[in-house]
Amino acid sequence: MIAKIGRGSNLYGALAYNQLKVEKGSGQVLYTNKIIETPDGSYAVGQLLRSFEPYLLANRKTEKPVLHISLNPDPNDKVSDEQFEELAQKYMQEMGYGEQPFVVFKHTDLERTHIHIVSVCVDEDGKKISDKFEKRRSMDVCRELEKEYCLISAIEKKQNPQNQIFMPVDYNAGDIKSQMASVIRHLPKNYKFEGFGAYNALLSLFNIATEEVKGEFNGITRQGLIYFALNEKGEKASNPFKASLFGKQAGYVQLQQHYAQSKELLKNEPSKALLKTTIEMSFQEASDEREFKKRLLERRINTVVRRNGQGRVYGITFVDHSSKSVWNGSQLGKNFSANVFNDLWNNDNKMDQPAKGNVNSKDKITIDEEIKEPNNLFGFLVKEDLSYSHEESNFFKFFGGLLSNAKAEDYDEELFTNQIKNKARRKKR
């Protein structure tokens, strides 16, 4: 279980954020402590505020008296409402806030059901409750609660590199923005890729695509990115989301820097030779495109094929999940270029041709040509290539996702926290 402790000065904002979840049907008030009750048992932000007023009025000098805590068990933990109530009470007691007024909200808008606790960190006399070694104490309390309630240990899971929890975006499951955020925010941290085409190929494995947009402001040309969720046919299934919603690492400028860094790292990537050998072996073993992809999937390698409207292969990208590297075919050598695969799959050439290195045509597609197909940004997201096959679906299920050592996040919560921080900075200015 993971605990996140936030502090602020806006009690109304913290309560309103959680109450909005309740009104939308994706949350509920699970437990209250020292909170004024209503005859019908319902709760409203104004009514909840009154229970905290005496503490805030008595507050002496504490600038951030509001506590906003979230307790997050592992998605595989089955925690009942009664257990959530007990977890909240015991956590608050051990952290020194057991006698404070607090409200426990349960959130169900993510696959990872979790709770939020809103309280204040000043007592009835306005004195701040000690937060010495708070993070350390919080971790100790979480470990104790994990043992008491037989929950999956967050420490053990973090140390296990095979624990990978992110899955492709399911546009039917709702909360698309949060699903996309939990993937987009981690891809640049985990994978090396040289350009926009390679990035889009990687995103497509998670049912996400991005487009470059250009505009002009005060005579200055601006460039940016927008993101979409894709359906099982590789078609846009959501409204566009601005890159800024997913953090700096998802933006145009930051990704340009990542491309440059990746280019240097991939020059000396030790797994490149092994990848080439693996692909060549799959050439010889497979009789067609489907079998070729399947054999690579068994070795933790995804193949993303880009075709134009006439079905011609104009680009191919290999995503090696073992080394966390993304390669356009021509980066690996002439025998792995798009033209070679087009000949293999569209012109009935033999599968062993690339392995022997017999392709010497002068018109092979370069890396830049593989990445740039005019007026067809989403040409490689056609149904034939990127609607998940049975084998690809099983790949995700078997490995449990692709991003190692990452935690599922409540994206709306982080966005709310950042808005509060930005508001505080503006006030200081």
Side-chain angles (χ1 to χ4, degrees), residues 283-299:
F283 279 145
Q284 297 171 351
E285 296 169 354
S287 58
D288 55 25
E289 178 180 354
R290 181 185 178 83
E291 188 179 349
F292 173 67
K293 289 181 176 181
K294 180 181 176 181
R295 290 186 178 278
L296 288 180
L297 276 173
E298 291 169 354
R299 296 171 172 86

Side-chain angles (χ1 to χ4, degrees), residues 375-393:
N375 303 318
N376 196 15
L377 268 172
F378 293 89
F380 65 98
L381 300 177
V382 295
K383 176 181 178 181
E384 181 177 326
D385 299 312
L386 282 185
S387 54
Y388 283 113
S389 66
H390 179 69
E391 292 83 2
E392 287 172 305
S393 298

